[in-house]
Amino acid sequence: MTVFEETDRAVYQWLAEHRRVDAVAVAVAEDLGLDPADTVASLERLVAARLVHTDPEEPGTGYAVAPEVAAAQLAAPVEEEIRSRQYELFRMRRQLQQFTSAYRHGVQAAGGALEVVSGMQTVRTLMTRAAAACRSEVFTCQPAGGFRTPDTLLDTLERDRPLLERGIRLRVLHPHTSRFHAPTQAYVAAASALGAEHRTAHELFGRLVVYDRETAFLPLSDGSWGAVVIREPHTVAYLCELFEHSWEQATVFADAASQGLEQVAREIDQTILRLLGAGLKDEAIARRLGMSLRTARRHIADIMDGLGAESRFQAGAAAARAGLLTGDC
């Protein structure tokens, strides 16, 4: 790419006005008050940029060219290279497409048993297709509970609405802690009015979405936004049994205030104590209860302080002596 000097524009304008000039450019230099050597250097730059063309029949003369014409001439080889690259991409894709039918045949022969997909958008696309093809029921386990934002819950409601309007049975499991979360309360109220069923449990086994007991979506273990799509019948059946067991043990969703804040808090503390006694770490307890790590640690600290315990073992022993581990958790 040519690097222009301050004098180049003036020389170019003079050339456009006078149409032709000899290469010595004495007239240009005299009219513009420039050094002839600088003028010759300017003309050389203008020629390199295709803004000045030399006359092939009279090499000592030249004339100005419109900038758009110069741009077209400079762009021509670049555009040709782009076309060549595009053709190369087209040829590459066409060569690889011959394997498409073989891949599909292989996947179908294996029953499409398991597929690992990456990226939130890809997962959403697959779930949207599964929802559109759904015939009878969808159930999902949402261990995040109150972690979901109002915007996320609104999007979820908009995805639920077409299913419910088609008469699809929709069941959702939430952690008990979601009963304290106002946006989740609003979402459950709106979805329930459309026919959805919502229950809560103290502990959930993890995120799960199943369509028609045929296709299940599980999160990736690395915590990314990808998913494992399972279509293998025996595995999906096992996941369905896992959900049904949790569903039977769960209670109908109700906000904490309607159930009594004291009772709800006591139930949560009982569950935390039991999980502490089982040796679970703070992170695992937070995940099982659908609360943030900070909230879980605050609960644990309050429990230990209330029991006068300095260790988790002491807390478990004190809770057992006080009968705090009994009852339906």
Side-chain angles (χ1 to χ4, degrees):
M1 184 65 183
T2 303
V3 179
F4 294 107
E5 301 288 342
E6 294 182 1
T7 57
D8 295 347
R9 190 172 182 275
V11 172
Y12 175 77
Q13 185 173 333
W14 189 98
L15 220 63
E17 181 181 348
H18 293 80
R19 306 295 297 173
R20 301 172 68 87
V21 65
D22 59 51
V24 179
V26 176
V28 181
E30 290 178 351
D31 284 359
L32 299 178
L34 300 174
D35 182 91
D38 292 339
T39 306
V40 171
S42 180
L43 284 170
E44 290 176 349
R45 287 190 293 273
L46 293 171
V47 170
R50 304 293 196 276
L51 287 168
V52 171
H53 280 193
T54 57
D55 192 328
E57 296 181 358
E58 299 181 45
T61 62
Y63 55 91
V65 176
E68 54 269 25
V69 175
Q73 291 180 346
L74 289 173
V78 178
E79 292 174 340
E80 178 61 29
E81 182 179 356
I82 291 174
R83 285 192 292 270
S84 176
R85 293 287 187 179
Q86 288 176 332
Y87 175 74
E88 185 179 347
L89 286 172
F90 168 76
R91 187 170 57 85
M92 178 182 65
R93 290 193 176 104
R94 187 173 59 182
Q95 286 179 333
L96 294 176
Q97 281 176 352
Q98 64 181 306
F99 296 95
T100 299
S101 60
Y103 173 79
R104 290 177 177 172
H105 177 76
V107 171
Q108 290 173 358
L114 185 146
E115 181 181 3
V116 179
V117 294
S118 301
M120 181 187 299
Q121 190 57 49
T122 304
V123 174
R124 284 182 174 177
T125 299
L126 291 175
M127 293 184 72
T128 298
R129 291 177 183 173
C134 186
R135 304 180 305 276
S136 59
E137 69 171 328
V138 180
F139 53 77
T140 176
C141 181
Q142 293 289 349
F147 288 175
R148 293 191 290 174
T149 65
D151 288 341
T152 300
L153 290 167
L154 182 60
D155 289 343
T156 301
L157 180 62
E158 291 307 308
R159 289 197 299 270
D160 292 346
R161 189 186 304 275
L163 289 167
L164 294 166
E165 290 176 347
R166 286 180 9 230
I168 304 299
R169 186 186 185 191
L170 174 63
R171 291 183 290 166
V172 185
L173 272 173
H174 305 265
H176 273 335
T177 51
S178 64
R179 294 178 292 180
F180 293 93
H181 190 240
T184 302
Q185 295 171 8
Y187 155 70
V188 170
S192 298
L194 295 173
E197 302 171 55
H198 293 261
R199 292 186 181 183
T200 65
H202 283 295
E203 299 177 63
L204 296 178
F205 49 83
R207 188 178 303 279
L208 169 69
V209 183
V210 180
Y211 295 90
D212 285 335
R213 298 179 178 266
E214 296 175 353
T215 305
F217 288 80
L218 295 175
L220 296 182
S221 60
D222 60 8
S224 67
W225 290 105
V228 179
V229 186
I230 301 174
R231 301 181 181 88
E232 197 283 314
H234 299 287
T235 306
V236 174
Y238 175 80
L239 294 172
C240 292
E241 290 182 7
L242 186 63
F243 177 87
E244 293 294 354
H245 175 75
S246 296
W247 183 261
E248 292 171 2
Q249 302 298 317
T251 57
V252 176
F253 189 105
D255 63 81
S258 66
Q259 288 191 333
L261 292 174
E262 184 177 349
Q263 176 186 345
V264 173
R266 183 169 59 252
E267 292 174 351
I268 291 175
D269 286 350
Q270 287 178 329
T271 304
I272 290 175
L273 281 166
R274 183 161 51 80
L275 295 177
L276 284 173
L280 271 67
K281 302 297 184 182
D282 296 353
E283 293 80 1
I285 292 174
R287 188 167 53 251
R288 294 274 287 270
L289 294 180
M291 60 176 60
S292 69
L293 179 60
R294 182 178 179 181
T295 300
R297 284 175 171 166
R298 186 171 65 247
H299 274 284
I300 293 170
D302 290 343
I303 291 171
M304 293 180 64
D305 183 64
L307 293 171
E310 297 181 359
S311 68
R312 297 179 180 219
F313 176 79
Q314 290 180 353
R321 288 195 301 271
L324 298 177
L325 296 180
T326 60
D328 185 11
C329 293

